[in-house]
Amino acid sequence: MDKETIADLLEKKHSDLINWLEQQPDEAWENGPEGKWTQGQQALHLLQSIKPLNNALSLPKFFLRYKFGKANRPVRAYNAIAGRYHERLKDAQGRTFRGSQNMKVPTIADKHFILNRLQTESKKLQYKTKKISDKNLDSVVLPHPLMGKMPVREIIMWTAYHVEHHTETLKANY
């Protein structure tokens, strides 16, 4: 998938999510199905997952190569990344990783801030996606807590899919 297509996909997936969340009643922000995250926690989780990616992409690429190495395989397609994510989710058996463990329930007062920050971080990632070279997109790798090391192009595509996955979950269950 080329850079423009990935940036457009990020825009669409984040817009769909944010528009849906803005249309939901305020009470739904702090409540969710039994044993599941609230709408606010879902949005906070997505914010927690995009911020480290934007921070990493602000670092010099030679530093990322030094710290995490280089890709040793071709980049996977979007659908292959989504499929692999579902396999890893199944293997994780509901466990969550660091920042999303014991997550506080964001209050309705936090809703506007979280949605605004999520939109801002999405715009940053779209910009960075368009500016990074194709060579670096395909050769620089970053660690993912569930998926392992992934080329930057893949982790950005995964980010779009991750938002889609949570949007579908929200629409189906909330």
Side-chain angles (χ1 to χ4, degrees), residues 12 40 44 55 57 63-64 68 81 102 107 112-113 125 132:
K12 179 178 179 354
L44 182 58
N55 291 343
L57 293 177
F63 176 78
L64 297 175
F68 304 115
I81 295 164
N102 305 317
T107 65
H112 179 72
F113 174 79
L125 186 55
I132 191 171

Side-chain angles (χ1 to χ4, degrees), residues 33-162:
E34 186 67 34
K36 299 291 184 185
W37 284 343
T38 66
Q39 289 179 9
Q41 287 173 309
Q42 298 263 356
L44 182 58
H45 168 72
L46 292 169
L47 181 60
Q48 289 173 336
S49 72
I50 196 172
K51 283 179 70 170
L53 177 56
N54 275 331
N55 291 343
L57 293 177
S58 295
L59 296 170
K61 303 311 170 261
F62 76 86
F63 176 78
L64 297 175
R65 273 192 295 279
Y66 171 76
K67 186 154 177 72
F68 304 115
K70 291 184 353 183
N72 59 3
R73 60 173 175 74
V75 173
R76 293 181 174 105
Y78 182 79
N79 290 336
I81 295 164
R84 188 167 168 77
Y85 176 57
H86 282 283
E87 289 170 12
R88 294 293 175 96
L89 277 177
K90 186 178 170 192
D91 293 344
Q93 299 175 347
R95 288 188 310 262
T96 56
F97 294 86
R98 277 177 245 126
S100 296
Q101 289 175 342
N102 305 317
M103 189 185 324
K104 72 176 183 89
V105 176
T107 65
I108 193 62
D110 299 325
K111 183 176 181 177
H112 179 72
F113 174 79
I114 290 172
L115 295 182
N116 188 38
R117 289 296 307 146
L118 188 56
Q119 187 170 40
T120 300
E121 292 295 331
S122 172
K123 296 289 185 194
K124 280 187 198 175
L125 186 55
Q126 291 166 48
Y127 176 80
K128 290 176 183 193
T129 300
K130 292 176 184 177
K131 293 298 177 193
I132 191 171
S133 72
D134 282 308
K135 179 184 176 214
N136 282 334
L137 275 173
D138 296 340
S139 65
V140 174
V141 295
L142 292 172
H144 183 282
L146 183 65
M147 307 275 286
K149 288 184 181 179
M150 299 170 73
V152 171
R153 187 182 305 265
E154 278 187 20
I155 208 163
I156 296 171
M157 287 190 288
W158 173 85
T159 299
Y161 181 74
H162 189 220

